[in-house]
Amino acid sequence: MSKNTIAIVGAGLSGVYIAKRLARKLRRTDHQVLLFNDGSNAMTLQSVLPQIAVNTVPVESARYDLYQLFKNDKNVTFINQRVDDINFNKRILMTKKNDYHYDYLILAMGSIGSDFGIPGVAEHATLFNSFDGALAVRADLEEFLEQQKNNPEQSLNITVVGGGPSGVELMAELANFKNYHQIDPERITLTLVNASQVLLPALTEPELSQKAKDFLTRRGVEVLNDTRVLGMTKHRLTLLDGQQLLTDKVYWATGLQVEPISNRWGIAINDHGQLTVDKHFRVLTEEGVPLSNVFAAGNIAAFTQNNQEGLPQLALAAEYAGNIIINRLICQLGLAKDHGQSAKEQKNPGYFVSLGKNYGLSNAYGRNGSAGLVARWAKHAINLSFFAGIGSAYGFFRYFRYGRPKR
């Protein structure tokens, strides 16, 4: 059997899951896995960023050393270099230092924050959907608490923009932060600006959207649905209807986009910058023909060119796409006969949204979804299951130790 090189670009949840599972399945073969990352030696667990922001979990819960994760996988080589270009015809990945040959390629680059080109957002808002964004929110809150010690009249107006899981989870944590520190409601105001008509539209369950809104409003949050931001200055948001919203801090939790990809490669890219894939997550050409040796997973993959939601940013979604790709690869390598289930045949992994320590929402089970303690703690069980599934005692016990919120 000839030796094949499988290159994975991106070391987020999807890239790590696929690399770890392939390492196990290929350990008695000569096949090799190359895992590329963009200048960081750590995987970020995005689902704990709202808790990082309000200091209910330590930073260790979000960062996992890639060398530790793969130290026992002799058939995986971690290359901490950015892939700048790809030659699909010659099967070459290009970095600033070297060129690398591959036989099979899996693109698993993550997403970055987008300001939609709205004036003032890049200069004055904090893009939340990153580890650095969560640390910036934490620093703001710690500074406010220090100022309150010296001046109890110090106030803080916070606006979160985005009614998806990231924005709703962050706002729920901010509301719980205010209650935990017993801050006078007049000293800290919380406003959630949401362009959609309901919160959490991806849950597709109106009852869950309403429960999310009720949870926030009971805790003093003003929720502005069907409201778009037109522009921003340092202390003012201009809304599309002309309303002016005074604010001290704006946390931008919407507008995710994937890393820019060049169309010169001749592959199908949708309006959101995602790669269009088929039911086996194979990348499609502009003519709609799947590339037999190129796959995409994570935020970069879209099932159709008009897909706007994609899969949730959860460990379950990484496993969902990863298993489909792995099954297909194993078959193409001649190690199995069955391609496994396609995306259309597998059950969608669903969403789990945590609203503080003891309450959550999910559309993954129950006729109309579920709400409460079980839905909240299911998210922790899923994260633990992710590390167990990739066979990482290091990741499992690190999350078990640091990932449970203090309050």
Side-chain angles (χ1 to χ4, degrees), residues 259-319:
E259 292 280 0
I261 299 171
S262 175
N263 246 330
R264 70 178 182 276
W265 293 340
I267 53 180
I269 300 174
N270 71 5
D271 294 338
H272 303 276
Q274 296 170 295
L275 302 179
T276 303
V277 298
D278 69 1
K279 63 182 182 180
H280 297 291
F281 286 85
R282 294 178 299 184
V283 173
L284 302 180
T285 67
E286 291 177 331
E287 291 77 29
V289 179
L291 298 173
S292 62
N293 68 326
V294 183
F295 302 82
N299 289 344
I300 200 172
F303 292 124
T304 68
Q305 286 184 307
N306 297 320
N307 178 24
Q308 297 185 19
E309 299 298 340
L311 293 173
Q313 290 183 312
L314 293 172
L316 278 181
E319 298 172 19

Side-chain angles (χ1 to χ4, degrees), residues 78-359:
F78 174 51
I79 302 171
N80 200 0
Q81 298 176 29
R82 177 185 177 88
V83 173
D84 296 315
D85 204 355
I86 304 172
N87 188 318
F88 287 102
N89 293 325
K90 295 183 179 181
R91 302 186 178 185
I92 296 291
L93 296 177
M94 287 160 268
T95 72
K96 289 183 178 179
K97 294 183 178 180
N98 297 295
D99 292 349
Y100 297 89
H101 168 79
Y102 69 85
D103 296 289
Y104 296 92
L105 175 63
I106 301 166
L107 299 171
M109 296 91 84
S111 57
I112 57 177
S114 172
D115 58 14
F116 295 116
I118 297 173
V121 172
E123 295 81 5
H124 303 297
T126 297
L127 298 182
F128 172 69
N129 292 289
S130 69
F131 183 68
D132 289 340
L135 293 183
V137 176
R138 177 185 283 203
D140 290 342
L141 297 177
E142 290 175 348
E143 180 183 11
F144 172 70
L145 290 178
E146 281 298 315
Q147 292 172 343
Q148 275 251 311
K149 291 179 182 178
N150 301 320
N151 179 16
E153 299 300 310
Q154 180 72 32
S155 64
L156 181 64
N157 297 325
I158 296 176
T159 301
V160 174
V161 180
S166 293
V168 170
E169 287 192 354
L170 175 60
M171 184 53 83
E173 295 293 345
L174 290 170
N176 292 331
F177 167 88
K178 180 182 72 171
N179 295 336
Y180 175 80
H181 291 283
Q182 298 180 332
I183 301 171
D184 185 337
E186 294 184 1
R187 302 274 71 85
I188 184 168
T189 62
L190 301 174
T191 305
L192 179 63
V193 176
N194 174 34
S196 300
Q197 293 183 348
V198 297
L199 297 178
L200 304 171
L203 266 64
T204 65
E205 298 290 349
E207 290 184 13
L208 295 180
S209 297
Q210 187 60 46
K211 285 181 179 180
K213 183 178 180 181
D214 292 343
F215 180 94
L216 295 176
T217 54
R218 285 197 304 267
R219 286 156 178 78
V221 177
E222 182 181 10
V223 178
L224 303 178
N225 284 332
D226 199 16
T227 303
R228 296 181 179 274
V229 176
L230 188 62
M232 179 181 176
T233 59
K234 187 174 182 180
H235 294 295
R236 189 186 303 268
L237 278 176
T238 301
L239 305 181
L240 191 59
D241 62 3
Q243 180 182 352
Q244 301 288 311
L245 193 63
L246 297 179
T247 185
D248 298 307
K249 298 292 181 180
V250 174
Y251 302 132
W252 198 263
T254 186
L256 284 180
Q257 66 178 28
V258 298
E259 292 280 0
I261 299 171
S262 175
N263 246 330
R264 70 178 182 276
W265 293 340
I267 53 180
I269 300 174
N270 71 5
D271 294 338
H272 303 276
Q274 296 170 295
L275 302 179
T276 303
V277 298
D278 69 1
K279 63 182 182 180
H280 297 291
F281 286 85
R282 294 178 299 184
V283 173
L284 302 180
T285 67
E286 291 177 331
E287 291 77 29
V289 179
L291 298 173
S292 62
N293 68 326
V294 183
F295 302 82
N299 289 344
I300 200 172
F303 292 124
T304 68
Q305 286 184 307
N306 297 320
N307 178 24
Q308 297 185 19
E309 299 298 340
L311 293 173
Q313 290 183 312
L314 293 172
L316 278 181
E319 298 172 19
Y320 173 82
N323 288 333
I324 293 169
I325 292 171
I326 291 166
N327 289 343
R328 185 76 189 185
L329 266 176
I330 294 300
C331 176
Q332 291 185 212
L333 290 170
L335 301 176
K337 295 181 180 180
D338 185 9
H339 291 177
Q341 290 180 306
S342 70
K344 290 184 178 180
E345 296 165 335
Q346 289 199 5
K347 182 181 178 181
N348 190 294
Y351 282 78
F352 290 81
V353 179
S354 60
L355 303 176
K357 181 179 179 180
N358 295 317
Y359 193 79

